[in-house]
Amino acid sequence: MASSSEPRRFRTLFVSDIHLGSKAARAEMFIDFMRRHDAETWYLVGDIVDGWRLKRTWHWPQAHNDVVQKLLRKARKGARIVYVPGNHDEFLRSFPGQHFGGVEVRQNDVHTTADGRRLLVIHGDEFDIVVKNWRLVAYLGDWAYDAAIAINGVFNRIRRRLGFPYWSFSSWAKLKVKNAVSFIGAFEEALSSEAERHNCDGIICGHIHHAELKTVSDIQYINTGDWVESCTAVAEHFDGTLELIRFAEVLRKEHEAASVHRLPMRQRFDERSEGEAA
């Protein structure tokens, strides 16, 4: 669902975990997001390309190629694009400081907001003990995650046929598991401590596919989420204010508004009258 209006412009946009090369990647939705949003600086905060899955099975449809081409086009038009690799695209960690088509690769970065705050930008897998110390377990977990995402895809195909917009069943289910909630809390504490160690006011990360913008132990913790389940990004406005954009929610509200607009005039009048009477 593309927007005909001008894109929203920001000082900086932060996105992560697109997982291009994975069948679960919502590349078309991210392309729609790029049409509607633009920024002077784009941070790609890891797992943009899913090297783990590409090693197992090659999957690279046109939409995934379009994402790469649109990002490179933004770089050609003058946008600064910084790529901070994650564990799924760790092959790029061998090229710190290199530029590829105008995209700068950095192990991590410190971003200074318009209002002077220092934010450490890292993917975050360094603080996931499973990824760091038990790679085989991480791969097995990755396969299990693929299965959950496949179920999520079937669930949303049924929703589309019924006229409902996208909703992440897998993301909802994950937050219902006590151990997952405990892990997320520990991850947030660890990342906030790392920001403090770098004398930063906050940290921007990805990795765990759980978007968040909050304060943890006096440190601003910002997780960009992902483009597999939640379809989220973090934007910095020109005054330094940060906004968590839940793009799937934006599309859902547009869908609901369009549905109301399509109601017969008499039905809308009756519903409005009932509301006023109540």
Side-chain angles (χ1 to χ4, degrees), residues 15-29:
V15 298
S16 74
D17 297 271
I18 304 175
H19 288 275
L20 298 175
S22 163
K23 292 180 181 179
R26 302 192 62 79
E28 292 87 354
M29 191 177 286

Side-chain angles (χ1 to χ4, degrees), residues 268-278:
R268 276 183 277 162
F269 175 78
D270 290 344
E271 289 177 352
R272 187 166 61 248
S273 299
E274 288 174 6
E276 290 171 353

Side-chain angles (χ1 to χ4, degrees), residues 14 113 117 119 213 220 222 234-237 240-244:
F14 303 85
T113 63
R117 285 169 296 146
L119 303 177
L213 202 166
Q220 190 162 27
I222 304 111
V234 171
E236 179 199 359
H237 292 267
T241 304
L242 296 176
E243 175 188 352
L244 176 58

Side-chain angles (χ1 to χ4, degrees), residues 107-126:
Q107 296 281 21
N108 55 62
D109 200 25
V110 175
H111 173 73
T112 303
T113 63
D115 54 0
R117 285 169 296 146
R118 285 165 44 87
L119 303 177
L120 177 64
V121 184
I122 64 175
H123 180 64
D125 61 288
E126 304 94 323

Side-chain angles (χ1 to χ4, degrees), residues 51-67:
W52 289 14
R53 288 177 175 82
L54 286 173
K55 283 181 181 178
R56 297 203 300 264
T57 305
W58 184 260
H59 176 76
W60 196 265
Q62 185 60 45
H64 294 207
N65 197 56
D66 290 344
V67 169

